[in-house]
Amino acid sequence: MTDIVELKRLLNDRALDVAEHLLPRGVLEGRDWCAGSTAGETGRSLKVCVKGAKAGVWSDFAEGGDSGDLLDLWCAVRGQPLAEALDDVRRFLGVERPSFERQPRTYRRPERPQCQAPKSAVLDYLTRERLISADAIRAFRIGEQGRTIVLPSVLPDGALAGVKYLGVDRSTEGRKVIRVEGGCEPVLFGWQAVSNANLRECTITEGEIDAMTAWDYGLPTPLSVPFGGGKGAKQQWLEAEYDRLAQFEVIYLALDCDSEGDAAAAEIARRLGEHRCRRVLLPHKDLNACRQANVSAEDIRRHFDSARTADPEELIRAGALADDVVDLFWPTSESRQGYRLPWRKAGDKLRFRPGELTIWTGGTGEGKSQVLSHAVVDMASQGARACIASLEMAPAMLLKRAVKQAGNNDRPTEARIREVMMWLDTWLLLFGQVGKAGVTRLIEVFEYARRRYGCDVFVVDSLMRLGVGSEDYEGQERAVFELVTWAVAKGVHVHLVAHARKSDRSNGQAGQVPGSEDVKGTSEIASNAANIIGVWRNRRLEDELRQMGEAAAAGDAVAEMKLRELEDKPPVVINVAKQRNGDWEGKIGLWFNTGSYQYRSANDDRSGLEYVA
């Protein structure tokens, strides 16, 4: 799309070619193309930067300090108004002007209204009640018919396109009394007040009086939509004005600060280009209301300077994230996001942050679901609310394990079970289906749990129970992508259990802990995860511990010494193989308590944690 913004970029990319084309008698000196003036004679007074970050910027030091970009230079050298220069530039660049299909329509030109310059009721209303200056009234060619304001729409070529009549007095119902000449072309009001054809910025308001107020405030090229805010038919003027607005690089949308104004601004920006349009948020409903509230021109200019383009929601300016970046370098206890692992050895090295998906992987029987269960119980003590879809375990069996982990007890009394269950009930919900479940339905239930109960941690155990086969790579990718998309959109964390590929782990070395490449299925599973945690049981060590324990119990002193050595080795290892949003990856050794189903690191109390006092 070759609008003015794109043309300016294309010219800057060919700054040297443009300078040579416009000023053929100039010479290149370092980064500058030098000439005598915009008339093109030889000399050094006019310099055009043709290389580097400032390519396209020029200054004429001998002609009163004229300067600008290459479009300004084109207008100055060729003596053309901007609209004509843009067509010339397109021919030079070999690009087409923006165009669209227009429905052929016939409009009538109205007769010049029988009116006079405001002298009585209209003048009094505009100057005293609406605080419009006499200069603005003259510039916009406002007329008076008794107690009616005559508002002409005059095109840049002087042709009268339409007339609106606005009563000074309201109707008995308190509404404005408006009459419009029928059959006329819908165009913007205010072209008659534009004195410079080369202006590059304009202001679009939602009413003629607001346009005149903008003129009094000194705002750029004030124009008004003909039919007010809203969308659809109210913005039919865009078709007629599209070409005339093509010369504006910045279009300020100072429409009313209400729902109708927002709807109009959104449609105008979409049609004219979000990159050119900036929505102005005023301190009062509209510009004239600001004038009546004594808002200064300096304050209004600040609101215009702070106006932002109607960027897509997905596009974020870097500066808007300054606080977040500072927190990543120097986090405080309040700014740290996400939940930690239960073990002191892990500390803050890994955080399960909002908007992420973590893959827990390992072979069958390695304990990945059990480790994750302990981690979720600990997250609850940090303030998490969880919803678990354990598609491989009945809800009651899952809760039995959670009761052991939360209560740090293998055989709790009935009273203790009920006490722990009351604590679990404050933060835990279960997806009560075992077997296969479609990911769409699962997300629907998760979304309900998020909205009604405030859940922010979600567990899916496991991927292969989401109705996708082990060889259905497209289905796996689609399921994981849906979970990731939902987690990001809702700011929650999803933990997904995925089996590891079969491999030879018989040597019992911790180096065999599964990593990113060991997740079973398509590579897109690992690629879409923010974190990947592999879980591995050292079965050889477990066998040796059992053998040495039996021998020591029988009185074998050597076996007893060996047993103490073996007990210092962790029988479970987790491998943080990927952490996209963190700086640490590595392994942590864990010891498993068969009574409480809790895991402890070397830095933890081996007696376990009491999550329920």
Side-chain angles (χ1 to χ4, degrees):
M1 178 178 178
T2 53
D3 60 20
I4 187 172
V5 177
E6 180 66 7
L7 289 176
K8 181 176 175 180
R9 186 189 68 78
L10 292 173
L11 287 176
N12 289 344
D13 289 344
R14 297 180 56 186
L16 179 57
D17 293 341
V18 175
E20 287 182 309
H21 178 71
L22 294 175
L23 304 165
R25 298 176 66 187
V27 295
L28 182 65
E29 293 186 357
R31 293 176 175 268
D32 297 326
W33 185 262
C34 302
S37 71
T38 54
E41 74 275 16
T42 60
R44 301 290 185 276
S45 298
L46 188 149
K47 297 181 184 297
V48 185
C49 182
V50 296
K51 298 178 182 178
K54 292 187 177 181
V57 177
W58 65 276
S59 294
D60 189 346
F61 298 99
E63 294 285 334
D66 288 343
S67 61
D69 59 24
L70 291 176
L71 286 173
D72 295 316
L73 183 64
W74 200 292
C75 292
V77 171
R78 295 297 176 85
Q80 295 174 320
L82 181 58
E84 184 180 328
L86 290 175
D87 285 335
D88 208 8
V89 166
R90 290 187 181 95
R91 285 189 289 271
F92 170 78
L93 293 171
V95 298
E96 296 182 2
R97 68 179 297 156
S99 62
F100 58 93
E101 224 176 278
R102 296 185 61 171
Q103 297 293 329
R105 300 187 185 187
T106 302
Y107 296 103
R108 77 176 186 90
R109 295 295 187 200
E111 298 288 334
R112 290 198 172 273
Q114 300 297 312
C115 61
Q116 61 181 358
K119 294 180 179 179
S120 53
V122 167
L123 181 65
D124 188 65
Y125 172 78
L126 290 175
T127 57
R128 292 178 181 272
E129 292 190 36
R130 307 308 290 268
L131 305 181
I132 303 299
S133 71
D135 287 342
I137 292 172
R138 283 191 294 272
F140 285 87
R141 306 181 196 176
I142 305 304
E144 176 183 274
Q145 281 186 355
R147 298 183 64 81
T148 298
I149 307 168
V150 180
L151 301 162
S153 293
V154 182
L155 299 178
D157 62 3
L160 181 65
V163 184
K164 180 186 288 189
Y165 300 88
L166 173 64
V168 168
D169 305 307
R170 299 258 174 159
S171 70
T172 55
E173 295 82 13
R175 298 176 180 174
K176 294 179 182 178
V177 178
I178 299 174
R179 179 171 62 87
V180 180
E181 289 281 356
C184 296
E185 186 174 19
V187 297
L188 293 169
F189 166 84
W191 290 114
Q192 63 267 35
V194 178
S195 58
N196 186 342
N198 290 341
L199 293 173
R200 306 267 282 277
E201 296 184 354
C202 73
T203 302
I204 295 180
T205 70
E206 198 174 313
E208 293 83 3
I209 290 177
D210 288 322
M212 289 187 277
T213 304
W215 193 90
D216 279 332
Y217 270 131
L219 299 172
T221 319
L223 304 165
S224 171
V225 298
F227 306 127
K231 55 186 179 179
K234 284 195 171 185
Q235 309 310 327
Q236 285 181 347
W237 61 268
L238 281 160
E239 181 177 327
E241 297 285 20
Y242 193 89
D243 288 340
R244 277 188 285 270
L245 293 173
Q247 76 177 64
F248 295 108
E249 191 174 344
V250 178
I251 300 172
Y252 292 103
L253 302 178
L255 297 111
D256 290 2
C257 294
D258 55 21
S259 59
E260 291 293 292
D262 290 340
E267 180 160 352
I268 294 169
R270 179 180 62 81
R271 298 274 295 277
L272 297 180
E274 287 90 345
H275 59 295
R276 291 199 292 158
C277 297
R278 300 181 184 180
R279 178 67 163 122
V280 181
L281 300 179
L282 299 166
H284 297 278
K285 181 176 181 290
D286 53 39
L287 280 169
N288 194 252
C290 292
R291 185 79 164 179
Q292 294 183 64
N294 295 318
V295 179
S296 68
E298 292 75 16
D299 283 344
I300 290 295
R301 189 71 249 185
R302 278 193 286 271
H303 283 83
F304 270 63
D305 290 342
S306 63
R308 290 286 177 260
T309 51
D311 295 339
E313 292 181 6
E314 299 85 352
L315 196 62
I316 304 173
R317 295 181 65 90
L321 301 176
D323 290 342
D324 295 337
V325 175
V326 170
D327 284 339
L328 290 174
F329 280 98
W330 304 105
T332 63
S333 57
E334 293 79 17
S335 67
R336 286 189 178 94
Q337 285 192 315
Y339 301 111
R340 302 180 305 277
L341 286 166
W343 311 294
R344 290 183 183 175
K345 192 169 179 89
D348 280 317
K349 294 176 181 176
L350 172 66
R351 286 253 173 183
F352 299 115
R353 302 171 182 85
E356 293 182 347
L357 179 137
T358 294
I359 298 289
W360 293 74
T361 190
T364 302
E366 299 290 275
K368 52 189 178 294
S369 298
Q370 200 157 265
V371 175
L372 174 56
S373 176
H374 182 196
V376 172
V377 167
D378 193 85
M379 290 177 214
S381 71
Q382 301 171 46
R385 296 175 69 87
C387 182
I388 299 177
S390 181
L391 305 173
E392 297 185 349
M393 181 182 289
M397 290 300 295
L398 182 146
L399 288 170
K400 178 183 177 182
R401 181 175 65 192
V403 167
K404 285 188 176 189
Q405 292 171 328
N408 191 25
N409 195 316
D410 182 36
R411 302 296 297 172
T413 64
E414 179 179 342
R416 181 59 173 167
I417 293 171
R418 294 190 182 280
E419 185 180 10
V420 175
M421 284 295 297
M422 286 180 63
W423 180 74
L424 293 173
D425 191 57
T426 63
W427 61 268
L428 178 60
L429 288 99
L430 305 175
F431 182 83
Q433 179 177 332
V434 178
K436 291 186 177 181
V439 67
T440 300
R441 177 55 181 165
L442 186 67
I443 290 176
E444 288 175 355
V445 175
F446 278 179
E447 175 64 11
Y448 183 87
R450 182 192 72 85
R451 296 177 66 176
R452 178 164 185 175
Y453 298 104
C455 293
D456 57 354
V457 172
F458 296 84
V459 175
V460 181
D461 190 1
S462 66
L463 172 63
M464 290 306 135
R465 291 297 181 100
L466 292 180
V468 292
S470 59
E471 302 300 324
D472 182 5
Y473 292 165
E474 288 188 10
Q476 294 168 18
E477 179 182 352
R478 188 164 50 249
V480 172
F481 185 75
E482 286 189 46
L483 288 170
V484 170
T485 301
W486 180 75
V488 171
K490 306 303 179 180
V492 300
H493 198 103
V494 176
H495 296 268
L496 175 63
V497 177
H499 294 292
R501 293 187 176 91
K502 292 182 180 180
S503 61
D504 181 13
R505 307 183 192 280
S506 59
N507 60 13
Q509 297 300 311
Q512 294 298 310
V513 181
S516 301
E517 302 300 320
D518 294 312
V519 180
K520 186 178 180 180
T522 175
S523 61
E524 295 300 322
I525 300 173
S527 298
N528 279 291
N531 312 301
I532 297 177
I533 300 177
V535 179
W536 176 75
R537 276 176 66 184
N538 191 334
R539 296 178 185 272
R540 174 177 290 184
L541 177 59
E542 290 177 358
D543 291 340
E544 290 181 12
L545 283 166
R546 186 163 43 251
Q547 292 169 9
M548 291 302 106
E550 292 173 354
D556 188 333
V558 175
E560 188 173 349
M561 290 179 58
K562 181 66 173 176
L563 178 62
R564 284 196 293 268
E565 292 177 9
L566 293 174
E567 285 176 340
D568 286 334
K569 296 180 179 180
V572 178
V573 177
I574 67 166
N575 177 24
V576 180
K578 176 183 178 181
Q579 186 184 179
R580 178 180 294 149
N581 298 316
D583 298 327
W584 177 81
E585 294 173 359
K587 299 180 177 68
I588 298 175
L590 300 175
W591 285 261
F592 176 60
N593 185 300
T594 56
S596 67
Y597 281 22
Q598 290 185 7
Y599 293 80
R600 293 86 182 245
S601 71
N603 296 3
D604 295 320
D605 183 352
R606 296 291 179 90
S607 63
L609 296 168
E610 285 285 341
Y611 291 105
V612 183

